[in-house]
Amino acid sequence: MLRILLYLVSIITANVVTAAFMPLHFGMFIIPMGTLLIGGTFIFRDLVQNKFGRAKTYFCIIIALILSACVSFLLGDTLLIVFASALSFVVAETADTEIYTRLKLPMSWRVLYSGIVGGFFDSVLFVVIGLSPLGANILPWEAVPAAIIGQIIVKTIIQSIGAVLLGQIHIRLEKRVVSG
């Protein structure tokens, strides 16, 4: 149950942090503060799936989607931003779930690869549909690539850190089993 709670809380926290803080600007890259947490949400989702299976994970994704949309709307996001967030969330979480399910690799590698793909879809869809001139027109077309790339870089870094940590935990657990 703790894994599900961490997953849901991380998604809500990412929405709150994004709304509360201005985006970071690293050179040409634009990174909403909540992006620092989104990479973690993919890891928590993988941990939920690892323990509870794919069907229960999709149920958790639906609950997370509803919570995320409600929090986003309550924090003052327009319906277009809420829609873009919900659509990018569903596509990204589904991609992460399906890739994680199909890869026959150690958990740390599945977390890394599925999270990178999920983060890519999340970044591209949200920025293009929600923030670009196609959406809420918050970012001009010239800034769209920098916003997408910045988010992908941060999410990939977070996924990489999570994969390394999970790999180390797995190695330590194996050593305990062998020595015990």
Side-chain angles (χ1 to χ4, degrees), residues 82-163:
V82 173
F83 171 76
S85 177
L87 179 63
S88 64
F89 180 83
V90 166
V91 171
E93 293 291 327
T94 300
D96 187 294
T97 301
E98 294 306 314
I99 291 169
Y100 184 86
T101 298
R102 286 166 174 72
L103 289 176
K104 304 302 178 209
L105 297 168
M107 182 183 179
S108 59
W109 288 106
R110 294 184 332 187
V111 165
L112 178 64
Y113 294 142
S114 65
I116 288 172
V117 174
F120 174 82
F121 283 129
D122 186 57
S123 301
V124 171
L125 290 172
F126 181 72
V127 172
V128 171
I129 295 171
L131 304 178
S132 78
L134 283 178
N137 202 21
I138 293 171
L139 295 175
W141 282 117
E142 302 80 45
V144 167
I148 292 170
I149 293 168
Q151 287 188 40
I152 290 171
I153 289 170
V154 169
K155 290 172 189 173
T156 300
I157 290 169
I158 301 297
Q159 287 296 131
S160 298
I161 292 168

Side-chain angles (χ1 to χ4, degrees), residues 4-20 33-35 37-38 40-41 44 60 63-75 77 85 89 93:
I4 294 171
L5 184 63
L6 286 171
Y7 173 62
L8 297 175
V9 168
S10 68
I11 290 166
I12 292 168
T13 304
N15 280 338
V16 171
V17 168
T18 298
M33 292 297 288
T35 301
L37 300 169
I38 296 298
T41 65
F44 291 137
C60 290
I63 298 300
L65 172 67
I66 293 167
L67 287 172
S68 178
C70 290
V71 168
S72 181
F73 183 74
L74 291 172
L75 290 171
D77 288 335
S85 177
F89 180 83
E93 293 291 327

